[in-house]
Amino acid sequence: MKKVATVALLVLALTGCVSESSLPQIYSPPAVETAIKEASAEDLSQAWADTQINHFLNGYGAASFAGFLEGTPHRNIDSWSSPEEGVLVVRVSSNNWEEKYLSSLAFDMMGKAGWEDHSLKLVRVTSYDGSVWADTPRAHVNGLH
């Protein structure tokens, strides 16, 4: 009988007819804790890279790369990752970029995201196939040392 009453209260709670505080308290481990334990190191590094990209976009007040001018490397960012701690690698969607443009983008990204997160040590921007790339270490941006 107690089990039926508990189930009935849970159904009522889910429909909004009973407050959560009136329900019997049953312990269940937090789902977040389980998810964190199951996450791989790659997932955590991608989450870190995603955060760096968000810092960069926020620095411009942009919601996405579509907000940048057509013809700039910013608009052609294809993907990003973090192959090692403190390193952000950004790939543009073609191989038609000269190193100077990739260098400018790497510097810009470090300048925006680096202010927000001191763990960002290096930004590498590469062409789609990786044949051309440019690096900007944290120390190359004034004020980020």
Side-chain angles (χ1 to χ4, degrees), residues 7 9 11 22 27 39 41 52 55 63 66 71 82 90 100 105 107 113 115-116 118 125-126 129 134 142:
V7 171
L9 283 173
V11 170
S22 67
Y27 175 76
Q52 302 314 306
H55 289 321
S82 178
V90 175
K100 67 181 179 179
L105 179 56
F107 186 85
W115 284 107
E116 298 298 323
H118 296 285
V125 178
T126 125
D129 68 358
N142 288 335

Side-chain angles (χ1 to χ4, degrees), residues 30-40:
V32 173
E33 185 178 307
T34 304
I36 290 172
K37 287 179 182 176
E38 293 175 1
S40 69

